[in-house]
Amino acid sequence: MSLYYDAQTLLSKSESSSSLKSRVYNGDLKSPAQVYALVVEATKWSPILKEVIERCQLLRLEKKLTPALALLLVHDLLISKKGIAAPKKHPLRVAVEKHKARLNAEFVKARLRRRCSSIAAMKIAIESGTEDTFGGADGNIQTPLKLPRWIRINTLVTTLSEQLQSTFHDFTQVTSLSSLLRPFSPSSMLLFVDSHIPNLVAIPRHHDMSKHPAYLSGALIFQDKASCLPAYLLDPASFKGDIIDACAAPGNKTTHLAALMSEPGGMDSVKRKIFACERSHPRSLTLQKMVHRADADDAVTIKAGQDFLRVNPLDRKYANVHAILLDPSCSGSGILRRDDDEGDMRPVLPSSEASMSVATENEKRERKRKKRTTGHSVEEREKLKETRGKVSAFSLQMADAATSPPPEDSEMQGADNDEAKVEVNEKAQEARLESLSHMQTLLLRHALSFPHVTRVVYSTCSLHAIENEFVIYKALSTLSHWRLLGPSERPTSLRNWKGGGDMAACLELYGGDVLKASELRDSVLRCSKGGDGNEGGTGGFFIAGLVRSNHQSSIITEGVGAPTVRGESEEEGGEEWSGFDA
């Protein structure tokens, strides 16, 4: 059973900003490959299995099961060819298998609701992201987000033209991403060339390119479109000098910088360097492998174990650094469920509360059915039974009173407990976000302190304004020689980007001043989670460009004071950060 307990631990940490694969293989697990495979497959099937488990009321009937354990065990019972990998008499296996008939029946219903003729057909639909609907236990239908598989053509090794003629020779090019995201046959060979990021293409998710020679050779790199925006906005070909990637692992943005820096026509008369800093030694190894596979060793100098906050801006080795890319640790709230190295797996766990609501609905339906067949309501039948001497209603009520707490008190106590749990979770989340925001602000201020740096790009995969607009505001509020990069200063394809900042947050920062709030909103870029006016199909992301200026930034210095973050003060701005766990 250690397999399931290890997998349960990983599922419970699914909100971590690090990838699933790194958590598995950097941990101390006996069978990491087996655990990884189980978590990945269970997560893919989790929306359907959640529905099955809740409709069977499994968590209500088997109190010893946690939502994560129920998901894993039911997955192996219904889908794995070998069944549950535990001794036959193990209590948890027994607890699940005694409901096998009901679980199987609900699984068949779930398959038929999705118009799949077999389990194999449903598996194809899940792998390709074309499931029609996900139905919860309460009968509500949720439409899943459709995501493509984004692939960046590594121009250090090949060209887009070469790959279109070789790797993607059999693919049909479509003119819009929406065409690619529609329901399609598993054999569909479609390809979309992105209009915002050069050398970026998208294909249907069901095409697994991880074993393709082009991927293994480093010619293709799996990278979400949103993750490509920071390096492209920095625009390394437009200026001279070296670059620091402050929080570099796993290396997608680092290698993208290297590719952009070496483009023909760029300012590369003198050999330029990218200093890739990574505080975590295990993640530094991942970074090193990524840089080597992308053939970027000549351009990238890896600073393994280097905390960016401990880099001295006056160190002579960084005297030629003119730009910094800063993509710090964040809450990861914009990450979508994907099954590649760059994504984070987000399972949909079953709920015991949902099982209770299903039980109530089932009881109501049963009472209606009995009334239709007998012509009497439940209450009428009970009275008849009492008069015939078959049931003593009074005795049953006394027995219930002796063994059960008052229903109203139990419900009120349960509600109070639920409210308390929600309040604790909200406070913990708020404290975590404030800590992250404080750390992110320190990192950004440090980046802006390098004397020869003229351009900085700050990005996160977070949806929270406290990690995004608030960080930009706080970092710039005490600096007169830095300003935000305006829309007209971006690369041409990004000048009309439709995803701006969070207007509500901008208004809060500027005390309701619409003009200043609008200016801040229009100076940053956001990708919404799953879709926006820029074709969609990305994770949630925030990107802001900052440039050195001899003039004060009017939208920062003239604003109303920024909201304070607990633990932060003007005196703390220059202190040395001891670091967070990667």
Side-chain angles (χ1 to χ4, degrees):
M1 282 296 294
S2 62
L3 168 67
Y4 298 104
Y5 291 124
D6 289 341
Q8 175 187 228
T9 301
L10 288 167
L11 287 177
S12 66
K13 295 180 179 179
S14 64
E15 294 298 318
S16 170
S17 59
S18 59
S19 70
L20 169 66
K21 185 168 285 188
S22 66
R23 297 201 305 272
V24 170
Y25 288 96
N26 292 337
D28 186 20
L29 301 177
K30 294 181 180 179
S31 305
Q34 192 176 4
V35 172
Y36 179 75
L38 173 59
V39 173
V40 167
E41 289 302 312
T43 300
K44 288 179 183 178
W45 286 88
S46 62
I48 294 172
L49 295 179
K50 173 183 186 291
E51 176 183 337
V52 171
I53 291 168
E54 289 176 352
R55 287 178 179 273
C56 289
Q57 307 169 40
L58 185 63
L59 292 173
R60 177 173 176 252
L61 298 172
E62 302 296 338
K63 303 294 186 182
K64 60 177 73 69
L65 290 174
T66 65
L69 275 176
L71 176 67
L72 295 164
L73 292 166
V74 171
H75 169 272
D76 277 6
L77 175 69
L78 299 178
I79 300 166
S80 175
K81 293 180 180 179
K82 297 181 179 180
I84 297 176
K88 289 185 178 181
K89 294 185 179 181
H90 192 284
L92 293 181
R93 176 171 176 174
V94 172
V96 172
E97 288 188 338
K98 68 182 180 182
H99 302 281
K100 184 176 181 178
R102 180 69 189 280
L103 288 166
N104 268 317
E106 290 296 342
F107 189 53
V108 170
K109 292 177 185 177
R111 173 171 61 78
L112 295 176
R113 277 192 291 272
R114 288 160 177 81
R115 303 176 181 87
C116 294
S117 58
S118 64
I119 295 177
M122 188 155 62
K123 184 175 182 180
I124 291 173
I126 289 173
E127 293 288 348
S128 62
T130 59
E131 314 94 311
D132 287 336
T133 52
F134 289 159
D138 55 2
N140 293 331
I141 298 299
Q142 300 174 340
T143 301
L145 293 171
K146 302 292 194 303
L147 292 176
R149 187 177 298 281
W150 290 101
I151 301 175
R152 177 167 61 83
I153 309 302
N154 181 15
T155 53
L156 292 171
V157 175
T158 184
T159 66
L160 175 61
S161 177
E162 288 176 358
Q163 291 304 308
L164 291 178
Q165 294 174 23
S166 56
T167 304
F168 302 109
H169 178 266
D170 295 328
F171 283 71
T172 300
Q173 190 169 330
V174 296
T175 57
S176 69
L177 187 65
S178 58
S179 299
L180 186 146
L181 296 179
R182 292 182 189 134
F184 45 77
S185 166
S187 61
S188 297
M189 306 282 281
L190 304 176
L191 178 138
F192 170 74
V193 178
D194 189 63
S195 60
H196 296 107
I197 308 294
N199 304 306
L200 183 69
V201 302
I203 62 174
R205 276 173 46 82
H206 67 269
H207 288 294
D208 182 9
M209 305 290 290
S210 61
K211 302 294 191 300
H212 196 283
Y215 173 76
L216 297 175
S217 67
L220 305 181
I221 293 175
F222 297 157
Q223 185 171 0
D224 189 89
K225 176 180 176 177
S227 176
C228 294
L229 286 167
Y232 187 56
L233 182 64
L234 192 65
D235 196 10
S238 67
F239 59 87
K240 296 180 180 179
D242 299 335
I243 300 172
I244 290 178
D245 188 349
C247 307
N252 284 336
K253 298 179 187 68
T254 310
T255 56
H256 193 194
L257 284 173
L260 292 169
M261 195 167 66
S262 65
E263 284 185 352
M267 298 185 179
D268 56 353
S269 56
V270 179
K271 186 176 181 180
R272 302 166 67 186
K273 297 178 183 177
I274 299 172
F275 296 98
C277 300
E278 177 51 53
R279 188 177 65 86
S280 165
H281 283 285
R283 286 171 62 82
S284 296
L285 295 176
T286 302
L287 172 62
Q288 186 175 12
K289 292 177 182 177
M290 182 68 185
V291 168
H292 181 69
R293 192 181 69 180
D295 197 25
D297 297 280
D298 291 342
V300 178
T301 299
I302 296 176
K303 312 293 288 184
Q306 177 65 66
D307 185 340
F308 175 63
L309 277 180
R310 292 189 171 90
V311 173
N312 182 0
L314 302 179
D315 192 320
R316 292 182 62 184
K317 72 169 66 76
Y318 305 115
N320 195 44
V321 170
H322 288 184
I324 294 176
L325 191 153
L326 174 61
D327 186 74
S329 297
C330 67
S331 63
S333 55
I335 296 174
L336 282 166
R337 182 171 71 93
R338 294 186 293 274
D339 57 357
D340 51 50
D341 292 355
E342 288 70 44
D344 194 24
M345 303 299 290
R346 302 293 176 110
V348 183
L349 296 177
S351 166
S352 56
E353 285 77 11
S355 297
M356 292 290 287
S357 66
V358 172
T360 303
E361 290 300 317
N362 288 344
E363 289 168 1
K364 289 180 180 179
R365 284 195 292 269
E366 181 66 13
R367 284 198 295 270
K368 289 180 180 178
R369 185 188 67 80
K370 289 183 177 180
K371 184 172 183 178
R372 285 195 300 269
T373 56
T374 63
H376 298 287
S377 67
V378 174
E379 291 76 12
E380 290 169 342
R381 289 199 307 276
E382 289 300 322
K383 288 181 180 179
L384 288 173
K385 290 180 182 179
E386 183 178 1
T387 57
R388 293 169 185 166
K390 292 183 179 179
V391 175
S392 173
F394 178 77
S395 298
L396 288 173
Q397 290 172 2
M398 292 298 292
D400 288 341
T403 58
S404 305
E408 293 184 2
D409 291 346
S410 298
E411 291 174 5
M412 290 179 64
Q413 184 177 4
D416 290 342
N417 289 338
D418 290 341
E419 289 177 5
K421 288 177 183 178
V422 170
E423 185 177 357
V424 169
N425 290 337
E426 288 178 349
K427 287 182 177 179
Q429 172 73 347
E430 180 183 351
R432 178 171 179 257
L433 291 176
E434 288 179 348
S435 295
L436 285 167
S437 179
H438 179 55
M439 177 269 290
Q440 291 155 352
T441 304
L442 292 178
L443 285 165
L444 182 53
R445 284 175 175 166
H446 187 62
L448 300 177
S449 71
F450 282 70
H452 302 294
V453 168
T454 60
R455 181 174 299 207
V456 172
V457 166
Y458 172 85
S459 64
T460 73
C461 55
S462 170
L463 303 176
H464 300 295
I466 193 173
E467 298 181 86
N468 299 323
E469 287 86 357
F470 281 30
V471 170
I472 297 297
Y473 186 100
K474 289 182 291 182
L476 293 181
S477 61
T478 58
L479 300 174
S480 61
H481 53 285
W482 283 93
R483 62 176 177 81
L484 282 164
L485 184 76
S488 63
E489 299 172 283
R490 300 171 187 164
T492 305
S493 61
L494 298 182
R495 290 177 185 175
N496 295 318
W497 187 265
K498 297 179 182 178
D502 183 334
M503 188 59 178
C506 295
L507 285 169
E508 180 180 351
L509 288 167
Y510 289 102
D513 189 316
V514 176
L515 183 62
K516 292 185 175 67
S518 298
E519 194 173 351
L520 174 57
R521 176 199 61 192
D522 296 340
S523 297
V524 301
L525 297 87
R526 272 184 180 266
C527 296
S528 63
K529 196 172 182 177
D532 55 24
N534 303 286
E535 292 281 1
T538 73
F541 230 83
F542 174 89
I543 312 100
L546 301 95
V547 292
R548 187 179 291 273
S549 171
N550 294 325
H551 304 285
Q552 292 186 354
S553 174
S554 62
I555 66 170
I556 295 296
T557 57
E558 295 176 11
V560 178
T564 58
V565 176
R566 285 198 292 271
E568 182 178 356
S569 66
E570 288 295 312
E571 290 75 13
E572 291 176 325
E575 69 180 10
E576 189 176 70
W577 176 56
S578 59
F580 287 81
D581 291 335

